[in-house]
Amino acid sequence: MTGLQSTKKLDLTWLSEQIESLSQPGLIAFYDHVEIAEVVGTPKGGRPLNVFTVAVLSETAGDRHLDSNPTFNGRIRIDGFKDWSFGVARTYRPLSAITKALKAFQESGVWQLTGKPLKVGALQPQAASFVPMNGSFDVPANRLLKNNFWAGSHLLRLADPSKAELLPFIDDARRLQDLSSQIFPLLPIEMAGMSDFLGDIVFQLPVLLLNANMFASGDGTDVAIKVNWKEGATPRQLRAVARTRWDNMLVDTAFSPEFMDETTLPVDRTRNPVETEIFDAQSGLLLAASAETVALRTIDIRINPIRPEPRLFTYRDASGNPTSGRLQVMASFHSVVGDVDEGAARRWHSQRRHLDEVRRLEATKEFVQYLPTPGAVTSRQRALDDVRHLIQVHGEHGVDLWDPYLSAEDLLQTLFWSPYANSKLRGITGRERPPAACGGPNPNSFEIEQKAVLAQNAGNLEGLKLEYRCRNGPEGWAFHDRFLIFPKASSGPIAWSLGTSVNSLGSAHHVLQKVGNAALISGAFDDLWAALDRPQHLIWRSW
């Protein structure tokens, strides 16, 4: 990838005009330079590649050398990027460098905002946005911006739609977490969890002309706004709006008259989070905003005083040796201060949401309990049908099955039901057979049995791309949990805990449950799969 826009000429005129318009002196700030931070990755002998760039328009350049070369820090190595190094390049440039860089990029496809060319993807401009400071709920984009604590920032973005050379970060979230933790001391941003910004270039235009404080009155029935203008700024007429929502309904709004320094909006926020914006009264330009913020109505107090007498007992340590245990025991006192009465409407609403959530979890198979009666086969069939349903819904680009008791018969009951031709299907077993340990007198008997079952029952293998491995020797590690993993789902890896082995699905009480750390589980499966990439670990493959 060269950064050339070969398929369609890119029009960056709108983006350039937006930046020039917002950076007019005294409009939202008095910018006089741009501070550029680039997270770059460099393959051995290759050109530096943009991993993420944030360009912050800033004030008071002072005696900074605005045309100096970027300073580079870090020689970071990341698994999955063989012979690559990562780091941070930082520099300061005059405002005019932005217009020049956008024009040059449009004409030649070469990106060099810092004066040094940087390899980028087929960047596309995105709609302008405004990023408020965090409220009671975080605004994710603030993880990537500089000091967005006060009024907020206008954000303009060039996005890399394919992220072709950065896909290893998306394939295994642990790599992005590793990069983020190593980059943070050099550049205080949090890239982990923000994979959709990989390869992008963002321009942050913070509103520095004023500082807006938006807070609730003592009883929470209105929102007070106080604006402090920056020294040297010309105060101008403003308008403000506030709203609260409940159950996706707009329940209260207020729009202020024109003001310069302070106003009050009669919005009841005693039970619902409030959002507030401040606009230039004449132009309608957004100058400040707050994310959803909840009024503090109750305080949950928990006190755990330590009892004078410890608990004494004896237990066996990890090596099996008797050891004396001593534990400080605490009492527990809990009280709630404030208004705890939610009202009948909210109590019934909470119950409805709970019932809706139960139905949703059942429909999506995110949480399913199996309560079989002795000797019944219907529960097992239901459990197998649920697993097959998940494979059909999520398995278009691959399925991994991880089970210490996984057998050929289990594969015929599950992965063979993937309807997608040549979808990559992988299974790992621990060679265990209930109730005895695997292998028996002949250490190869397990593999022989599995191959025989598949030779007899696998059929014509039409469109089937399945590989079945075991841990046979010192490589890899023992495992216990059972997971159904979809490593290439559209939104990233997703996984379900089976709660029991495939051979006993639906036969005893267990829970099929979607897990929240799927990327880490998928990464661990990949690690074990790679560790078992030797002939003695292969039981069977369909090709």
Side-chain angles (χ1 to χ4, degrees):
M1 185 176 296
T2 64
L4 298 177
Q5 311 301 315
S6 57
T7 58
K8 181 180 179 182
K9 187 170 180 61
L10 183 65
D11 185 4
L12 296 176
T13 303
W14 170 83
L15 181 62
S16 182
E17 290 176 348
Q18 284 283 308
I19 294 175
E20 288 187 18
S21 175
L22 288 170
S23 60
Q24 293 300 309
L27 183 66
I28 61 174
F30 293 97
Y31 305 129
D32 59 6
H33 70 288
V34 56
E35 180 181 344
I36 306 159
E38 299 169 326
V39 180
V40 299
T42 307
K44 186 176 182 180
R47 293 169 51 200
L49 170 73
N50 176 53
V51 177
F52 175 72
T53 294
V54 56
V56 186
L57 278 68
S58 305
E59 299 179 328
T60 61
D63 58 355
R64 291 192 176 101
H65 299 293
L66 298 184
D67 290 303
S68 60
N69 290 328
T71 58
F72 184 83
N73 291 291
R75 287 288 185 268
I76 298 168
R77 305 290 180 180
I78 301 295
D79 177 58
F81 290 87
K82 183 176 174 58
D83 297 325
W84 283 62
S85 65
F86 294 84
V88 175
R90 306 187 72 158
T91 190
Y92 302 92
R93 300 280 283 162
L95 291 181
S96 59
I98 298 176
T99 303
K100 292 178 181 177
L102 291 171
K103 182 178 180 182
F105 185 54
Q106 179 164 318
E107 294 176 350
S108 67
V110 177
W111 179 256
Q112 46 183 359
L113 178 58
T114 65
K116 296 290 185 181
L118 185 65
K119 191 177 180 182
V120 296
L123 299 175
Q124 297 178 355
Q126 306 298 299
S129 56
F130 191 90
V131 186
M133 60 182 173
N134 290 338
S136 298
F137 308 96
D138 288 344
V139 179
N142 279 327
R143 303 173 195 170
L144 301 174
L145 302 185
K146 178 182 179 181
N147 298 341
N148 197 33
F149 303 141
W150 310 113
S153 296
H154 290 270
L155 190 72
L156 294 152
R157 176 181 176 190
L158 286 169
D160 179 358
S162 70
K163 311 186 190 304
E165 297 196 53
L166 300 170
L167 292 178
F169 284 121
I170 297 171
D171 291 340
D172 190 339
R174 296 173 299 174
R175 294 166 181 158
L176 187 56
Q177 179 65 60
D178 187 20
L179 178 68
S180 182
S181 61
Q182 294 195 65
I183 287 294
F184 190 82
L186 308 175
L187 179 65
I189 62 174
E190 299 177 34
M191 298 188 65
M194 301 297 290
S195 60
D196 52 320
F197 278 80
L198 285 170
D200 293 2
I201 297 168
V202 300
F203 298 91
Q204 179 188 353
L205 290 82
V207 177
L208 305 175
L209 202 68
L210 55 85
N211 179 15
N213 294 305
M214 295 167 263
F215 50 90
S217 62
D219 59 5
T221 57
D222 54 46
V223 175
I225 296 178
K226 183 173 178 58
V227 172
N228 298 309
W229 293 90
K230 182 182 178 67
E231 185 178 355
T234 301
R236 54 187 189 261
Q237 293 294 325
L238 306 171
R239 284 189 182 273
V241 62
R243 74 196 64 80
T244 60
R245 305 175 193 271
W246 179 58
D247 198 26
N248 292 329
M249 297 182 291
L250 198 62
V251 294
D252 203 359
T253 62
F255 189 62
S256 79
E258 293 188 4
F259 70 101
M260 281 190 181
D261 300 308
E262 56 184 78
T263 190
T264 300
L265 295 168
V267 174
D268 186 349
R269 55 176 292 184
T270 54
R271 297 188 182 277
N272 303 301
V274 65
E275 304 167 73
T276 309
E277 292 92 35
I278 300 174
F279 301 87
D280 183 299
Q282 183 174 0
S283 67
L285 179 65
L286 184 57
L287 295 176
S290 67
E292 286 189 339
T293 303
V294 179
L296 182 64
R297 299 177 57 247
T298 61
I299 300 175
D300 194 338
I301 300 175
R302 295 177 183 272
I303 302 174
N304 300 107
I306 296 176
R307 295 169 64 93
E309 182 68 23
R311 181 179 299 150
L312 304 176
F313 55 98
T314 302
Y315 69 102
R316 294 189 180 276
D317 62 17
S319 300
N321 300 316
T323 305
S324 296
R326 180 186 178 93
L327 180 72
Q328 292 288 349
V329 180
M330 297 180 292
S332 179
F333 297 97
H334 174 218
S335 64
V336 177
V337 178
D339 184 7
V340 296
D341 182 17
E342 294 185 349
R346 290 179 181 273
R347 289 196 302 272
W348 286 112
H349 172 258
S350 296
Q351 184 174 11
R352 184 250 292 173
R353 290 190 55 163
H354 172 72
L355 294 174
D356 284 349
E357 180 68 1
V358 171
R359 284 190 288 267
R360 185 190 69 81
L361 293 174
E362 177 71 22
T364 60
K365 312 302 179 189
E366 293 184 25
F367 185 94
V368 186
Q369 285 195 83
Y370 303 95
L371 300 165
T373 57
V377 297
T378 55
S379 185
R380 174 160 176 79
Q381 187 59 53
R382 173 183 166 229
L384 287 171
D385 287 344
D386 287 345
V387 169
R388 294 168 187 171
H389 171 79
L390 291 173
I391 291 171
Q392 291 173 4
V393 171
H394 303 291
E396 180 179 0
H397 302 294
V399 187
D400 297 331
L401 188 53
W402 198 359
D403 180 350
Y405 292 93
L406 188 65
S407 68
E409 184 60 41
D410 296 334
L411 296 177
L412 291 165
Q413 295 278 12
T414 55
L415 296 186
F416 268 73
W417 291 77
S418 171
Y420 304 105
N422 299 316
S423 175
K424 190 175 183 180
L425 310 173
R426 303 185 295 181
I428 296 180
T429 180
R431 301 169 74 241
E432 297 184 29
R433 293 182 291 191
C438 67
N442 181 355
N444 296 318
S445 62
F446 181 85
E447 289 87 330
I448 293 171
E449 291 174 8
Q450 304 310 301
K451 291 176 182 178
V453 171
L454 291 166
Q456 181 178 354
N457 300 292
N460 64 0
L461 306 179
E462 175 63 28
L464 186 71
K465 189 177 181 180
L466 189 155
E467 186 167 351
Y468 179 33
R469 293 182 184 178
C470 67
R471 180 172 179 256
N472 184 8
E475 290 87 3
W477 55 85
F479 53 92
H480 173 78
D481 290 324
R482 290 82 162 160
F483 293 107
L484 179 68
I485 306 166
F486 303 97
K488 303 292 184 182
S490 58
S491 58
I494 53 177
W496 270 256
S497 170
L498 299 179
T500 188
S501 288
V502 174
N503 61 57
S504 58
L505 286 173
S507 300
H509 175 261
H510 67 96
V511 173
L512 176 69
Q513 183 173 11
K514 188 177 182 181
V515 298
N517 52 351
L520 299 180
I521 292 170
S522 181
F525 182 95
D526 283 340
D527 290 345
L528 182 56
W529 187 263
L532 303 181
D533 191 19
R534 297 180 64 182
Q536 67 266 31
H537 303 298
L538 175 64
I539 297 177
W540 184 84
R541 64 162 61 106
S542 61
W543 67 94

